[in-house]
Amino acid sequence: MSQEDTQRWLKEVMSKIIDNLGPDIDKARYELYQLVDTVMSTQFYVRVKFRDRSKKNGDEEISLVLKRSAQTNPEIRRGYCMDSQFYNEIVFYRTYAQLHDNLPRCYYVDYRPPTDSVIALENIVQRGYHPCPYTMDVPLEYTLAIVRVLARFHGKGYVMKELRREEFLDIVAGFRKTRFEEVPYDNIFGNLIGQSATRAVEYLRRHGYDADFCDKTEALFSNAMENVMMEAIQPREPLCTLCHGDFTVSNMFFKAEDDGKYSAMLIDFACVSYLTPATDLSMYLCLFSPNGLTKDNFYKIMRVYHDTLKECLLDAGIQDVAKYSYEAFLDDFRKSSLYGFCAATSYLPICLGYSIPICPKKVFEMGFTAYANICKQAGGDEVSKILADTLLRLKELGCLEHVL
């Protein structure tokens, strides 16, 4: 798309956003100050200045991030589940996000596939939030902030499920399947998992680890999409709730509070799904905080998660919390944590910064299977050892008892 077409599109969208600001808005003007292309979208960073006639000192300025669906061909869009992901985030902000106070404010959404869909959100950097400064081995203080915000997010789902069940289930039913939920698994994500899931076991076998363990886990991971991923996303009541679905540090922002602790805010709800909470927890721990899976740290993290979630339920007036016990969440994690591990086997080399093509066009040209093979080899034994150590920590926590 030409620069002229882009400017015309931006002018049209900004006119609608300014109209949405309210009837008292006057003399509004905007400035595009940054443009960023990502795999799934083009992001326009815009400042809007205006006068609010309802206020004595009415000069105002807001900073927005406009996410426009990626301009690419239908085959790539299908292979990356782009349309479903963009659709889900729009549904999320139209419905569920309105019930939460710890999310970026949404100013405008419009679903116009394939390439004109847009989501306009506040730029939370203006509120003092900053991206996570760590891409691996996230310190415990950040991890605790992360699990607190995740517990509140999951807890809000439980509250709505308890008090407004039909409305909650209607919202859940409105989301489309994405990534690991789509069958057949002929997309980039299914290919990555299918190729990389056995990597840690192959490393352990080469280094003389117990043959029986390697045989059983290799049999499991050889068909990881069916045996692990699809198994983990089956609804397990009563703990299924609305989950983030892409719980990575790139989707978390932080702010230091007056007491020295960090608060966190989540962004990017394109993969939101009705899942067991262990899918979010295990993805984060296996990818970004493998030290969080050591026994001392893991139980501390789980206790903070559960205490925060229980507080959320009690504050909403839900007294019958027995089914949301600490033991129930531990059991849920042990049954579903391999979901996060399998996701880590494919994402870890990218998180560690190894040179892997991420441009969808290049990936599509080489083919998903060939790309997945490159990812499986990236980082060599360094990455394989991290994954093997993570698998053994999960074993120590009892997460493989249903397999062994």
Side-chain angles (χ1 to χ4, degrees):
M1 180 172 287
S2 69
Q3 184 175 359
E4 183 179 339
D5 288 339
T6 298
Q7 289 296 333
R8 187 182 301 113
W9 176 88
L10 182 61
K11 182 178 181 180
E12 176 187 342
V13 171
M14 287 306 304
S15 174
K16 295 175 181 178
I17 292 171
I18 290 168
D19 286 345
N20 276 358
L21 293 177
D24 294 316
I25 301 304
D26 190 22
K27 298 180 180 179
R29 59 198 185 279
Y30 69 88
E31 172 196 5
L32 173 65
Y33 64 92
Q34 189 177 8
L35 189 65
V36 177
D37 283 318
T38 70
V39 171
M40 295 291 176
S41 66
T42 299
Q43 299 180 0
F44 300 76
Y45 289 78
V46 180
R47 291 189 192 93
V48 185
K49 296 181 180 181
F50 54 90
R51 184 163 185 82
D52 188 340
R53 293 190 296 265
S54 68
K55 297 180 180 179
K56 183 176 292 187
N57 183 15
D59 291 335
E60 300 277 349
E61 179 178 324
I62 57 175
S63 182
L64 304 178
V65 182
L66 277 63
K67 297 170 61 175
R68 184 184 187 185
S69 47
Q71 315 292 295
T72 189
N73 68 53
E75 290 82 5
I76 293 175
R77 302 187 66 80
R78 182 197 60 77
Y80 277 80
C81 310
M82 288 183 181
D83 293 335
S84 295
Q85 292 190 57
F86 222 91
Y87 176 84
N88 282 354
E89 188 158 25
I90 286 176
V91 170
F92 177 84
Y93 277 109
R94 276 179 174 165
T95 58
Y96 196 75
Q98 298 178 21
L99 309 173
H100 293 260
D101 55 5
N102 190 40
L103 294 172
R105 180 179 174 185
C106 182
Y107 287 89
Y108 179 76
V109 295
D110 188 19
Y111 184 64
R112 292 198 292 174
T115 58
D116 284 335
S117 298
V118 62
I119 303 169
L121 303 169
E122 71 166 314
N123 185 353
I124 60 174
V125 170
Q126 304 303 310
R127 275 207 256 166
Y129 285 90
H130 60 82
C132 184
Y134 303 92
T135 56
M136 277 295 296
D137 298 325
V138 179
L140 187 61
E141 66 219 42
Y142 276 87
T143 292
L144 294 180
I146 288 165
V147 297
R148 287 188 189 99
V149 75
L150 181 65
R152 286 191 287 271
F153 182 73
H154 289 166
K156 292 282 189 179
Y158 292 132
V159 169
M160 190 175 184
K161 188 176 168 183
E162 293 276 353
L163 302 181
R164 300 156 65 180
R165 186 175 181 84
E166 287 190 11
E167 183 182 355
F168 175 78
L169 294 179
D170 282 345
I171 291 174
V172 166
F175 294 119
R176 295 177 180 174
K177 293 182 177 181
T178 62
R179 291 193 177 185
F180 310 128
E181 300 169 275
E182 285 202 342
V183 181
Y185 319 118
D186 186 22
N187 58 45
I188 182 63
F189 311 104
N191 276 270
L192 283 170
I193 297 296
Q195 293 293 324
S196 298
T198 58
R199 180 173 183 169
V201 182
E202 291 165 8
Y203 175 88
L204 290 171
R205 193 186 293 280
R206 289 198 307 270
H207 287 77
Y209 197 77
D210 179 71
D212 184 57
F213 173 86
C214 291
D215 289 344
K216 290 178 179 177
T217 50
E218 188 169 44
L220 178 77
F221 294 142
S222 291
N223 189 9
M225 284 300 297
E226 192 67 40
N227 295 338
V228 177
M229 309 305 280
M230 294 303 294
E231 177 65 24
I233 67 172
Q234 298 308 310
R236 290 197 184 95
E237 301 298 350
L239 292 191
C240 267
T241 186
L242 205 63
C243 290
H244 186 279
D246 190 19
F247 201 58
T248 64
V249 292
S250 61
N251 292 328
M252 304 165 188
F253 278 65
F254 298 86
K255 181 169 67 174
E257 301 294 352
D258 293 338
D259 60 4
K261 293 182 179 180
Y262 287 99
S263 60
M265 185 177 290
L266 304 181
I267 65 167
D268 196 345
F269 295 89
C271 296
V272 65
S273 299
Y274 185 62
L275 300 171
T276 175
T279 54
D280 279 343
L281 281 166
S282 64
M283 180 175 286
Y284 170 76
L285 290 174
C286 290
L287 259 175
F288 305 106
S289 184
N291 288 329
L293 294 171
T294 60
K295 281 192 173 181
D296 287 346
N297 285 338
F298 174 73
Y299 291 112
K300 180 184 295 185
I301 289 166
M302 289 299 293
R303 182 59 71 182
V304 168
Y305 171 86
H306 184 260
D307 287 349
T308 306
L309 187 141
K310 185 176 179 180
E311 181 182 12
C312 180
L313 294 174
L314 294 174
D315 286 348
I318 297 173
Q319 300 298 320
D320 182 16
V321 295
K323 59 189 172 185
Y324 304 114
S325 69
Y326 175 70
E327 290 73 21
F329 282 92
L330 281 180
D331 184 59
D332 176 59
F333 187 89
R334 290 182 177 122
K335 288 178 179 177
S336 301
S337 59
L338 290 181
Y339 176 96
F341 173 76
C342 286
T345 63
S346 60
Y347 290 165
L348 185 61
I350 297 172
C351 295
L352 289 173
Y354 284 97
S355 181
I356 301 170
I358 58 173
C359 171
K361 185 177 180 180
K362 291 182 179 178
V363 173
F364 186 76
E365 287 173 352
M366 74 173 64
F368 291 152
T369 301
Y371 175 71
N373 278 323
I374 291 174
C375 291
K376 182 176 181 178
Q377 305 303 322
D381 276 359
E382 177 196 354
V383 172
S384 296
K385 185 179 186 306
I386 294 172
L387 292 170
D389 289 343
T390 300
L391 182 62
L392 295 182
R393 284 173 178 167
L394 291 172
K395 176 178 179 284
E396 189 178 2
L397 292 171
C399 299
L400 278 75
E401 290 182 356
H402 62 293
V403 178
L404 304 177

